[in-house]
Amino acid sequence: MATIDQIDKSRVPQHVAIIMDGNGRWAKAQGYDRSVGHKAGVDSLHTTLEAASQIGIKHLTVYTFSTENWNRPKQEIDTLMNLISFAIQHETEGMIKNGVRLRVIGDFDRLPEEARNRLTQCMNDTAKGEKISLNLALSYSSRWEITRMVQEAAQAAAAGTLKPEDIDENYVSSHLTTRDIPDPELLIRTGGEERISNYLLWQIAYSELYFCDTYWPDFSAENLYEAIVDYQQRERRFGKTSAQIQEENK
Ligand code: IPE
Ligand code: IPE
Ligand code: MG
């Protein structure tokens, strides 16, 4: 397992995105109800956020509830929504103290009122946080946000306020839910599955992907360090040749 000393502090990614997967399987393996796994997952997020902040990551974007997760049994959805409300209320004071700013990306209107109120309160209370931004992807999917962006662009074009030639990559980036957030350099998925599950499809175009078998409730600071060390060993070429990259880095 990697230690914090193995990380090159001058090349820490600014933005790390995580697909926090494996709560249910973690619980099942120990004979518990899935809800126990989700509760343990909140503790893992707390630990990971602290570790991320300590090594200088500026944005942590975590897949918390996907658009597709609305298809789970109602009881599990209710448990998750209650857990989100409870955790946010419980964590807000610590977040303010530690300079954490909360953001939410996703279809906010679909969330229950209680969760919306708690999240709004926490976003307001932590708005001045500058150490790290915790971005919760809630009721989020890429296809939802891209579809919404296209609808808005079509409406603006029909109203005459947007010319088709003004739609460029910059326009698209600045009309997604992540408009104020740089693209993630690194995407981590825990829990052993190697898929993206409708997460940040536009934003991860050039992200480094890191998959690990650890179930999310077992994910620790050392697992995060390991992912960062792995990321730092890669050569990001962005379509260029290795020789070009080495010349640029001289
Ligand atoms: C991730 O864990 C949390 C959410 C999707 C809300 P899962 O609940 O997907 O756990 P597994 O994949 O069934 O183990
Ligand atoms: C992705 O995990 C969503 C979250 C982690 C919140 P899922 O467990 O829902 O993904 P699939 O269904 O296995 O692709
Ligand atoms: Mg899963």
Side-chain angles (χ1 to χ4, degrees):
M1 200 69 87
T3 63
I4 197 165
D5 308 322
Q6 286 172 262
I7 295 173
D8 176 350
K9 294 279 166 17
S10 69
R11 290 191 306 120
V12 170
Q14 270 198 77
H15 182 182
V16 174
I18 306 184
I19 301 174
M20 309 183 290
D21 197 21
N23 294 352
R25 281 165 286 158
W26 178 88
K28 196 176 169 205
Q30 296 170 78
Y32 296 136
D33 185 71
R34 292 176 62 84
S35 61
V36 179
H38 295 314
K39 282 201 193 80
V42 175
D43 296 336
S44 275
L45 178 54
H46 183 107
T47 310
T48 304
L49 176 64
E50 242 173 41
S53 179
Q54 200 196 349
I55 58 177
I57 290 168
K58 302 306 285 181
H59 287 276
L60 189 69
T61 303
V62 291
Y63 213 0
T64 309
F65 191 86
S66 72
T67 303
E68 289 73 22
N69 289 150
W70 288 116
N71 298 319
R72 291 199 178 187
K74 184 176 181 308
Q75 197 202 344
E76 181 165 348
I77 296 174
D78 290 347
T79 301
L80 281 164
M81 292 300 149
N82 289 335
L83 188 58
I84 288 161
S85 296
F86 177 81
I88 284 297
Q89 194 186 3
H90 192 252
E91 297 281 338
T92 300
E93 210 181 294
M95 289 170 74
I96 298 169
K97 210 172 85 201
N98 294 312
V100 179
R101 175 177 179 179
L102 180 79
R103 286 184 165 100
V104 175
I105 61 168
D107 193 354
F108 203 67
D109 295 340
R110 267 185 98 171
L111 300 175
E113 196 183 350
E114 163 93 6
R116 270 188 281 134
N117 290 343
R118 299 260 183 239
L119 289 160
T120 305
Q121 181 76 48
C122 182
M123 283 190 281
N124 291 337
D125 291 347
T126 61
K128 292 204 176 74
E130 285 188 344
K131 182 95 173 68
I132 187 167
S133 164
L134 173 66
N135 312 313
L136 297 184
L138 267 176
S139 187
Y140 172 88
S141 75
S142 263
R143 288 183 176 183
W144 163 79
E145 80 166 335
I146 291 170
T147 305
R148 196 187 66 148
M149 182 271 301
V150 172
Q151 275 176 1
E152 284 169 4
Q155 275 159 3
T161 54
L162 175 69
K163 295 202 282 296
E165 57 270 30
D166 290 339
I167 301 177
D168 54 13
E169 290 189 9
N170 195 35
Y171 175 91
V172 174
S173 292
S174 60
H175 287 78
L176 296 176
T177 59
T178 47
R179 61 182 67 83
D180 303 319
I181 308 170
D183 288 341
E185 294 96 322
L186 173 64
L187 170 72
I188 299 171
R189 182 172 188 142
T190 67
E193 311 290 359
E194 301 193 352
R195 56 177 171 255
I196 302 299
S197 303
N198 214 350
Y199 194 41
L200 301 173
L201 296 178
W202 171 274
Q203 297 87 340
I204 61 165
Y206 254 109
S207 302
E208 296 299 325
L209 308 182
Y210 180 87
F211 298 101
C212 69
D213 289 334
T214 310
Y215 292 142
W216 177 249
D218 284 332
F219 195 82
S220 64
E222 289 71 31
N223 286 111
L224 178 70
Y225 304 152
E226 182 110 5
I228 305 291
V229 169
D230 190 292
Y231 160 83
Q232 290 184 334
Q233 283 160 2
R234 303 184 191 186
E235 183 180 62
R236 306 187 73 206
R237 291 193 283 275
F238 299 100
K240 296 181 184 174
T241 66
S242 186
Q244 284 176 297
I245 299 299
Q246 279 161 26
E247 186 59 33
E248 284 171 12
N249 290 341
K250 263 187 192 158

